[in-house]
Amino acid sequence: MRIPAREIERVVGQEVTELFADALLLAQRASIHLPPNRFSAVAERCEDLASELGRGGPKLRPLIARVQLLDDGLRIEVSSTGIAELLELPFAGEGDATISITSSVRLTRTGRAMRLVQGDGGLAVQRGPDPSLVKLLVRAQQWWRVLGRGETDIKTLAQAEQVSAPYITRVVRLAFLSPEVVEAALNGQLTASIDGAALLATGAIPARWDEQASKFMRTFSGNSLES
């Protein structure tokens, strides 16, 4: 199993960045002495560091004592002494103290790759819409318009497009996805496991639009629509 190292690094960066959102709370959790007369300067320093750490780089890695991929999340141990050094403040704790963060992401297979997925089914690291899926959606609409005009049949269209007739049938089904699901696909908001191959599988697309939304989208408003 190949671990998506770059995605893990970006999730770690995101989680560590959140630590620096509250300078006072960070000082308390990391056992760092924060004099009252330094608070304003340290708060500004935290804002600058949050922006920099979110992008990864040389300042992030010395902070990370350990990253452990669990069945139900990602556990990150952040060095308290490393935080103190970045903030240029005295460390008041003992030994190699760390702050433990648990990110509720899990490793799952999406298509041929292993990806980190959030609890709501969305990707932990967003990459925008899937270009191959968008291409399929466009093709589905084009082919359905051709067939809908009654000028040709599936077999003839398949010969013209140099694909099989069953493939034409599977792709055309995508023309009957709800507008809500199509919009989610174009915005990269489908459940992480949903790609072109998943949608082309036999019986993959429910007839009811509300069932499509609950099956394919990370969040669903509950509106009951039927195709």
Side-chain angles (χ1 to χ4, degrees):
M1 182 186 299
R2 296 188 62 185
I3 304 298
R6 290 184 179 179
E7 291 190 11
I8 291 176
E9 185 172 10
R10 290 183 64 181
V11 171
V12 169
Q14 293 168 3
E15 294 292 341
V16 172
T17 294
E18 292 186 10
L19 277 179
F20 287 79
D22 187 326
L24 189 60
L25 180 60
L26 176 61
Q28 180 184 4
R29 294 185 65 183
S31 299
I32 295 172
H33 178 60
L34 175 56
N37 63 345
R38 293 285 311 277
F39 176 76
S40 179
V42 170
E44 291 182 5
R45 174 67 172 159
C46 282
E47 289 183 9
D48 293 339
L49 285 171
S51 176
E52 186 173 350
L53 294 172
R55 299 190 297 268
K59 289 186 178 180
L60 175 63
R61 296 191 179 184
L63 287 178
I64 308 304
R66 185 183 186 190
V67 176
Q68 186 177 10
L69 189 60
L70 308 174
D71 291 339
D72 59 349
L74 192 69
R75 181 178 297 160
I76 308 162
E77 300 291 337
V78 185
S79 170
S80 295
T81 55
I83 294 173
E85 290 176 5
L86 278 182
L87 297 180
E88 299 178 352
L89 292 172
F91 175 58
E94 298 180 358
D96 298 326
T98 61
I99 297 175
S100 182
I101 307 172
T102 300
S103 177
S104 58
V105 298
R106 66 183 187 279
L107 193 64
T108 188
R109 184 174 298 279
T110 62
R112 297 181 178 179
M114 299 301 296
R115 304 290 300 276
L116 285 178
V117 177
Q118 298 172 341
D120 64 357
L123 293 175
V125 177
Q126 296 300 321
R127 294 185 176 181
D130 179 352
S132 62
L133 177 54
V134 172
K135 184 177 179 180
L136 274 177
L137 293 174
V138 172
R139 180 170 288 183
Q141 293 291 339
Q142 291 173 339
W143 287 351
W144 177 242
R145 282 197 295 268
V146 171
L147 293 170
R149 288 196 296 264
E151 299 172 359
T152 187
D153 56 23
I154 290 179
K155 183 177 180 180
T156 305
L157 180 60
Q159 290 175 345
E161 295 287 343
Q162 297 183 339
V163 296
S164 69
Y167 179 75
I168 292 278
T169 301
R170 292 198 302 272
V171 172
V172 166
R173 290 196 189 103
L174 302 185
F176 297 93
L177 288 170
S178 74
E180 189 178 15
V181 171
V182 172
E183 183 178 359
L186 297 178
N187 292 330
Q189 295 175 342
L190 294 181
T191 301
S193 60
I194 301 302
D195 56 11
L199 289 176
L200 292 180
T202 302
I205 301 177
R208 290 175 57 95
W209 283 1
D210 57 346
E211 292 177 3
Q212 291 177 15
S214 62
K215 182 176 181 180
F216 300 139
M217 296 170 60
R218 298 204 306 268
T219 58
F220 176 50
S221 63
N223 295 332
S224 181
L225 300 175
E226 295 186 11
S227 59

